[in-house]
Amino acid sequence: MKKFEALGLDKSLLDAVADLGFENPSEVQEKAIPILLETETDLVALAQTGTGKTAAFGFPLIQKIDSNSRTTQGLILSPTRELCLQITNELKLYSKYEKNVSTVAIYGGASITEQARQIKRGAQIIVATPGRMKDMINRRLVDISKIDYCVLDEADEMLNMGFFEDIKDILSNTPDEKSTWLFSATMPKEVSHIAKKFMHNPQEITVGTKNAGTSTVQHEYYVVGGRDRYPALKRLADTNPDIFAVIFCRTKRDTQKVAEKLIEDGYSAGALHGDLSQNQRDLVMNSFRKKQIQMLVATDVAARGIDVDDITHVINYQLPDEIETYTHRSGRTGRAGKSGISMVIVTRSEMRKIKSIENKIQQKFIPKKIPTGMEICEIQLYHLANKIKDTEINEDVEAYLPAINDVLKDVDREELIKKIVSVEFTRFFNYYNKAKDLNTSESGGRDRDRSNRGDTPTSGSVRYFVNVGEKDGYDWMSLKDFIRDTVGLNQDDVFKVDVKESFSFFNTDAAVTDKILATFTDLKVEGRFVNVEVSKNPGGGGGRRDRKRSGRSSGGGRDRSYSRSSGGRDRSKKRDRNQGKSENSGNRRSKKRKSNFF
Ligand code: ADP
Ligand code: MG
């Protein structure tokens, strides 16, 4: 792998790279930057979301423009206001050691006069959404007749959003001899059409496979009755106490409704859709970005701008009409080298859509079962135990201890533990005790082979609890590899791996149980005992099935810097709808930029 120094960038830009904490260029950067620096060429670059495309065009653009001239020389078109602002901010960071480079953002929903004023002061680079750009051209507030470079960023999304005509109009105001650089996550025929129509012999760069969804994303589906979508969603959230997810609905109405219900049920959720004002949308997005909201319920259009790196789950509350849209949805997770899960709640009649998506993304879905009430209780119980273990002691409790000890003096340790966990457990237990099985079999009827008490073992398969999880740097892929390699098992012997924040579950065939338990007796990894026990709930989904995945990248390894504080959820009181005041806002550690994440 080349270093940034080998790509041909000037010292001022390399200094900015160092400040950003980027250690190695990503693949798209390594491929695109030298080409764009050395030649005047059109370029089509295909790379998934989160692979660092902004820097791939941003650095060459900044290096190539003439900073002594105030003329507008570069235009970047991007689909949403969010992305537009993000790109602008990134470019400002890239050019921090360049004197006189000015980048201006142009987007709807903000004062056009103010934007025009900034342009007038001189902007060598304009980052714009197509709608506002066209508006400003029509009002003669910008002049792009002398640009040398035009970047079409997230071209597939711009076309998805219906910006083809606007782009065409905008480009008709630019000189023919400019270079056009097109960046896109996917290559639907509309994008190749644009490339043919507006570009001359473009060079092509492809990172990963064309059209494919992100390979670090595991795709799962859950078959339920049409009326059980919401309870199914709740159970998925309850099984993943540290979830940080985008939930996609098809309509604005459903989006609003689902978000409201979640909030009413005590989850930390928010809605994002087009009927909200720009201001409301900004508020929700900010809370989500700061993780004050755990679950963002969104429409496809409103979610276009979401560019948050550590989304753990994408949940398709309903499937989209267009398959292409599914790719965009699932691409919101598994970014920046992390693994993610895209869950689909489907009814039996929608199963054929799953097949079409599989064909499109060239990846298999894993059929999963909505957890039973008792499985959820078990997960919550372990979660609580771990939370207690990891809680930092607040020394201010000291003063109250004598009195508290007095109250508890007749309770021994064992009883105390039982009591403490019962506080939480009973709440879930009461809720889920009589809860029905929500799963519908793909061929028809409710599944009969699992009772809601979860006490019917899946024949031949054993579920285990293990005391390591995300905070030890594991994701489902690396944990699976770890167990397989430690015990000496074959590729598919470990399955249904569910990694939680501080513990995990997995399954194997009963035949290897003794081997597993023997291996994990007194096994220390990096000074710490890794403890495996047979889980009291054998569930975790139906029988074994084909778990083949295609094109898995090896990037999903361990990452010890990754840590999230546990979710700010409290079902005992209804949440203030003003999500800005969520309880865990203050204590979040600032996220370190990662290097080597590809
Ligand atoms: P894309 O446009 O391909 O979706 P972005 O350009 O938005 O991706 O980059 C995704 C994230 O990765 C950003 O937070 C960015 O700062 C970071 N990033 C980009 N290049 C590198 C690198 N070489 N090393 C570390 N982080 C990087
Ligand atoms: Mg981008």
Side-chain angles (χ1 to χ4, degrees):
M1 191 198 280
K2 279 193 185 169
K3 289 274 183 195
F4 272 105
E5 287 74 16
L7 302 181
L9 293 171
D10 290 344
K11 168 93 170 56
S12 55
L13 296 179
L14 290 174
D15 288 346
V17 166
D19 286 0
L20 283 161
F22 294 0
E23 285 186 5
N24 294 303
S26 69
E27 195 179 339
V28 69
Q29 291 163 4
E30 188 178 331
K31 286 181 170 166
I33 293 174
I35 295 179
L36 296 179
L37 286 178
E38 285 157 27
T39 53
E40 292 302 325
T41 178
D42 284 357
L43 175 85
V44 172
L46 298 180
Q48 285 151 15
T49 313
T51 52
K53 295 191 286 294
T54 317
F57 63 76
F59 282 114
L61 183 62
I62 292 167
Q63 183 153 329
K64 291 187 101 166
I65 57 164
D66 174 5
S67 56
N68 295 319
S69 152
R70 306 305 288 165
T71 312
T72 299
Q73 301 157 53
L75 170 67
I76 299 163
L77 292 177
S78 120
T80 64
R81 164 195 154 110
E82 277 283 326
L83 285 170
C84 192
L85 286 167
Q86 262 168 38
I87 296 168
T88 310
N89 286 337
E90 287 268 315
L91 293 192
K92 286 187 173 155
L93 294 174
Y94 302 166
S95 61
K96 67 192 268 202
Y97 297 115
E98 296 278 339
K99 287 186 204 82
N100 304 327
V101 171
S102 142
T103 305
V104 171
I106 300 237
Y107 50 87
S111 157
I112 198 166
T113 4
E114 170 55 27
Q115 290 173 358
R117 222 162 45 80
Q118 293 183 23
I119 298 279
K120 216 164 170 190
R121 273 191 252 139
Q124 290 102 341
I125 301 173
I126 293 177
V127 188
T129 53
R132 175 55 67 95
M133 189 66 203
K134 209 182 126 186
D135 214 11
M136 294 193 73
I137 294 173
N138 290 344
R139 298 208 213 168
R140 300 186 187 286
L141 296 172
V142 281
D143 178 9
I144 49 169
S145 65
K146 299 193 185 62
I147 62 168
D148 301 309
Y149 307 100
C150 178
V151 181
L152 304 174
D153 190 31
E154 312 252 353
D156 51 353
E157 297 220 4
M158 285 202 284
L159 296 174
N160 258 344
M161 292 174 72
F163 282 135
F164 179 79
E165 288 300 322
D166 286 350
I167 293 173
K168 203 173 85 180
D169 287 353
I170 293 166
L171 292 180
S172 71
N173 288 281
T174 63
D176 274 343
E177 55 282 1
K178 70 180 176 302
S179 298
T180 305
W181 306 341
L182 181 151
F183 286 78
S184 187
T186 59
M187 188 73 175
K189 57 181 183 311
E190 294 79 7
V191 174
S192 19
H193 178 66
I194 281 243
K196 284 205 192 78
K197 198 167 166 69
F198 299 113
M199 302 170 81
H200 310 292
N201 299 326
Q203 298 209 40
E204 262 196 61
I205 293 174
T206 306
V207 170
T209 39
K210 268 190 200 182
N211 259 342
T214 326
S215 60
T216 45
V217 176
Q218 168 166 301
H219 302 265
E220 306 175 343
Y221 67 79
Y222 297 81
V223 190
V224 301
R227 287 195 196 158
D228 287 335
R229 278 187 209 276
Y230 181 73
L233 173 66
K234 267 181 65 164
R235 286 200 199 178
L236 292 176
D238 286 341
T239 335
N240 296 282
D242 299 307
I243 196 166
F244 181 52
V246 185
I247 296 158
F248 285 99
C249 296
R250 217 159 18 200
T251 64
K252 293 180 209 166
R253 206 167 143 256
D254 285 347
T255 303
Q256 184 65 31
K257 230 171 54 191
V258 169
E260 276 175 13
K261 269 170 124 173
L262 285 171
I263 293 167
E264 229 158 77
D265 287 339
Y267 296 84
S268 128
L272 188 72
H273 56 72
D275 282 352
L276 302 173
S277 69
Q278 184 65 52
N279 200 25
Q280 287 171 311
R281 270 183 285 169
D282 287 349
L283 274 176
V284 174
M285 266 316 294
N286 280 335
S287 320
F288 186 59
R289 204 170 283 128
K290 293 192 195 130
K291 304 215 171 109
Q292 292 158 348
I293 288 179
Q294 271 189 291
M295 290 187 279
L296 183 68
V297 192
T299 57
D300 289 296
V301 174
R304 288 276 154 70
I306 299 176
D307 200 359
V308 177
D309 276 348
D310 31 19
I311 290 169
T312 58
H313 295 74
V314 163
I315 302 182
N316 294 262
Y317 188 77
Q318 295 135 340
L319 274 175
D321 291 325
E322 306 284 328
I323 297 176
E324 197 70 43
T325 309
Y326 179 82
T327 320
H328 287 295
R329 287 182 177 186
S330 57
R332 299 291 158 214
T333 184
R335 292 166 61 91
K338 290 177 184 132
S339 64
I341 297 176
S342 172
M343 301 172 151
V344 182
I345 302 176
V346 280
T347 58
R348 218 167 356 115
S349 58
E350 295 172 312
M351 278 309 298
R352 62 191 160 74
K353 282 197 187 172
I354 295 284
K355 293 279 166 285
S356 335
I357 295 173
E358 284 182 336
N359 288 338
K360 177 86 184 180
I361 63 175
Q362 288 294 303
Q363 249 179 301
K364 283 260 178 245
F365 272 82
I366 301 179
K368 284 258 192 166
K369 300 281 180 195
I370 298 287
T372 63
M374 280 304 119
E375 278 164 13
I376 292 171
C377 290
E378 185 184 14
I379 286 171
Q380 291 287 348
L381 197 54
Y382 287 128
H383 182 69
L384 175 66
N386 275 287
K387 208 162 130 187
I388 292 174
K389 190 174 126 221
D390 295 342
T391 295
E392 261 178 54
I393 290 177
N394 182 334
E395 297 300 342
D396 290 338
V397 298
E398 197 74 39
Y400 305 95
L401 281 184
I404 290 173
N405 280 330
D406 199 38
V407 174
L408 299 174
K409 67 176 183 301
D410 293 330
V411 189
D412 67 16
R413 177 190 147 91
E414 198 150 312
E415 203 182 346
L416 185 64
I417 291 177
K418 280 189 199 161
K419 280 178 188 279
I420 289 174
V421 295
S422 295
V423 174
E424 189 94 341
F425 186 69
T426 307
R427 201 153 53 76
F428 277 96
F429 184 83
N430 289 344
Y431 182 82
Y432 278 119
N433 186 23
K434 299 251 157 51
K436 62 174 184 175
D437 184 352
L438 296 180
N439 296 290
T440 304
S441 80
E442 284 169 42
S443 47
R446 259 187 208 291
D447 277 7
R448 296 264 166 237
D449 60 331
R450 286 155 56 88
S451 85
N452 62 350
R453 299 299 302 261
D455 51 9
T456 331
T458 314
S459 75
S461 136
V462 174
R463 189 143 180 88
Y464 308 83
F465 164 86
V466 53
N467 66 335
V468 293
E470 264 175 24
K471 81 180 179 3
D472 306 290
Y474 289 100
D475 59 22
W476 61 273
M477 292 192 287
S478 56
L479 184 65
K480 182 176 170 162
D481 290 347
F482 167 68
I483 294 165
R484 208 189 49 215
D485 297 346
T486 311
V487 184
L489 300 170
N490 294 324
Q491 176 62 36
D492 279 345
D493 286 350
V494 179
F495 49 100
K496 287 184 221 148
V497 182
D498 277 328
V499 178
K500 310 290 176 207
E501 171 110 351
S502 48
F503 56 91
S504 313
F505 294 97
F506 64 93
N507 279 35
T508 70
D509 274 348
V512 295
T513 300
D514 289 346
K515 203 170 165 189
I516 297 257
L517 296 179
T519 309
F520 286 101
T521 306
D522 295 335
L523 180 81
K524 263 191 183 176
V525 175
E526 291 173 19
R528 160 162 185 217
F529 282 108
V530 178
N531 195 2
V532 172
E533 283 161 36
V534 173
S535 161
K536 297 293 171 289
N537 276 296
R544 294 191 62 168
R545 74 259 329 176
D546 183 12
R547 282 173 308 281
K548 252 189 249 144
R549 294 188 316 273
S550 60
R552 176 187 139 185
S553 84
S554 57
R558 307 171 77 174
D559 165 19
R560 293 184 184 284
S561 69
Y562 177 40
S563 135
R564 296 193 293 118
S565 75
S566 57
R569 190 190 312 168
D570 183 355
R571 283 179 199 72
S572 59
K573 49 179 184 295
K574 286 198 181 176
R575 262 305 158 100
D576 184 345
R577 283 184 196 221
N578 177 358
Q579 290 294 333
K581 295 188 202 138
S582 178
E583 61 205 15
N584 62 347
S585 51
N587 59 4
R588 192 159 293 280
R589 263 176 270 162
S590 70
K591 203 183 80 184
K592 271 202 230 132
R593 265 180 199 266
K594 298 188 49 195
S595 53
N596 276 334
F597 66 104
F598 299 101

